[in-house]
Amino acid sequence: MTVLNARERKDQKAHQTKELRNQGHVPGVLYGKKVKSTPVSVEAVAFLKTFRDVGQNGLFDLQLENGGKHHVMVQEVQIDPLNNQYMHVDFFEVDMNEERDANVPVHLEGDAPGAKEGGIVNHLLYEITVNCLPADIPEAITVDISNLNIGDSLSVSDIRANVPVTIVNEDEETVVTVTPPTVTEDPDATEEDNTTAESVEATGERNDDNLDRPGRVE
């Protein structure tokens, strides 16, 4: 199993935490039902590699300097939106014998025939919540859209049987749908139509005027 080294943080003052980040480390906290909340830090590069390798719900060992090893998963990651720097990480020690909820990303697979006909594929549910043992949490749930035509959709009830763990979401929640293409009016055509209509109206008015012109002979 993947191992990520960590060390406890004794000083949690703001300037020390900032200095920690400047030195290439990410502050975080380790907690769980059987472990007290412990401030820790990990090397940013090592954490990034681990997070990419195991995925959002992946399990790995957090090895502390004092020899303690904890079976954890990443519960939450805070990222600076300006520079994508990891600001803080929550490491949750899991009980491998206890089921838990986890959000799993949904990936679409295949080409929808409806899209080839001009339809628009709308991916509405990007994550699905499952409940299972930590070791059984899927990395992703793949949904096949290769049979979707314009007007078709897939809801949670349609994919539930294909997922080997319990899905918490309601059956009625729509995962993906293919909607008809949007029809936009041609502004030039509209302007031309208006111009034609105005011309016809003006011509009609001129004809009416001629009826009242002096000297007109019936």
Side-chain angles (χ1 to χ4, degrees):
M1 178 165 290
T2 301
V3 177
L4 178 65
N5 293 319
R7 60 186 182 187
E8 291 190 35
R9 286 187 295 133
K10 303 297 183 184
D11 193 339
Q12 301 170 50
K13 296 178 181 176
H15 71 278
Q16 288 291 340
T17 302
K18 183 178 180 181
E19 181 64 23
L20 195 64
R21 294 192 183 101
N22 291 337
Q23 293 175 356
H25 291 78
V26 184
V29 61
L30 165 68
Y31 61 92
K33 289 186 176 181
K34 298 180 180 179
V35 59
K36 67 178 183 179
S37 179
T38 305
V40 298
S41 67
V42 294
E43 290 186 0
V45 174
F47 170 72
L48 175 61
K49 183 178 184 305
T50 300
F51 198 38
R52 285 179 174 175
D53 287 346
V54 304
Q56 178 178 332
N57 296 303
L59 302 172
F60 57 96
D61 286 333
L62 194 67
Q63 178 71 62
L64 299 181
E65 283 183 323
N66 62 9
K69 181 183 288 187
H70 302 270
H71 212 41
V72 302
M73 63 190 307
V74 174
Q75 183 72 16
E76 184 178 0
V77 179
Q78 297 176 19
I79 300 176
D80 187 331
L82 297 179
N83 54 22
N84 287 328
Q85 181 184 25
Y86 289 110
M87 301 298 291
H88 192 273
V89 185
D90 285 9
F91 298 102
F92 179 75
E93 186 184 58
V94 298
D95 182 345
M96 297 301 289
N97 298 314
E98 182 178 78
E99 293 183 341
R100 67 190 310 271
D101 288 351
N103 294 326
V104 179
V106 177
H107 296 165
L108 303 183
E109 181 181 67
D111 298 320
K116 296 178 181 177
E117 298 172 357
I120 301 171
V121 177
N122 295 300
H123 189 177
L124 301 178
L125 201 59
Y126 285 89
E127 285 189 336
I128 285 179
T129 304
V130 302
N131 182 269
C132 59
L133 294 174
D136 296 333
I137 298 174
E139 184 175 341
I141 294 175
T142 302
V143 177
D144 184 8
I145 63 171
S146 58
N147 292 320
L148 292 185
N149 295 297
I150 294 177
D152 290 343
S153 63
L154 291 174
S155 61
V156 170
S157 62
D158 296 316
I159 67 172
R160 190 180 294 279
N162 298 326
V163 179
V165 295
T166 300
I167 293 179
V168 178
N169 296 67
E170 299 292 336
D171 281 345
E172 296 76 15
E173 293 184 61
T174 303
V175 178
V176 58
T177 184
V178 180
T179 57
T182 303
V183 178
T184 57
E185 294 185 357
D186 185 348
D188 294 335
T190 302
E191 182 178 350
E192 182 178 348
D193 292 342
N194 291 337
T195 302
T196 302
E198 291 173 356
S199 299
V200 170
E201 185 177 353
T203 301
E205 290 177 352
R206 283 197 297 272
N207 290 337
D208 292 340
D209 291 343
N210 290 336
L211 293 175
D212 301 329
R213 183 179 301 167
R216 177 176 181 272
V217 179
E218 294 293 341

